[in-house]
Amino acid sequence: MGKIRVTDRAGKQVEVLAIAGSPVMYSLRNIDNGVDAICGGLCSCGTCHVYIAHDWASRLPPPAEDEVELLEELENTREGSRLSCQIRFTEELDGLELEVAPEE
Ligand code: FES
């Protein structure tokens, strides 16, 4: 178990719990102004898009090809863009900072 520091879609900062081994998206879809995650984590909707804070981005495993391809289809990508359903939380990620991207 660990925590993720989130700036939600309304700009509010909240901390959410995360379970090691679970996709980060699971911790973000049940909060107000979190991610929609319409496809449920199948890497096909892009509605779990987040911006990983600069200091944390390099500590994540790189995105797989299907994540990269879907990110390329989104309009609001920028440095740190990732799909939160494709990031598995680990104890090393305790304190991870991210921002929920705007709705596409
Ligand atoms: S939940 Fe659909 S791409 Fe992540």
Side-chain angles (χ1 to χ4, degrees), residues 6-20:
V6 180
T7 301
D8 70 16
R9 213 168 252 161
K12 185 178 160 196
Q13 296 193 325
V14 294
E15 275 192 357
V16 297
L17 293 176
I19 297 171

Side-chain angles (χ1 to χ4, degrees), residues 25 35-49 70 83-86:
M25 175 270 282
V35 301
D36 296 328
I38 291 169
C39 78
L42 298 177
C43 199
S44 62
C45 70
T47 62
C48 65
H49 182 197
L70 185 48
L83 297 177
S84 58
C85 71
Q86 300 302 302

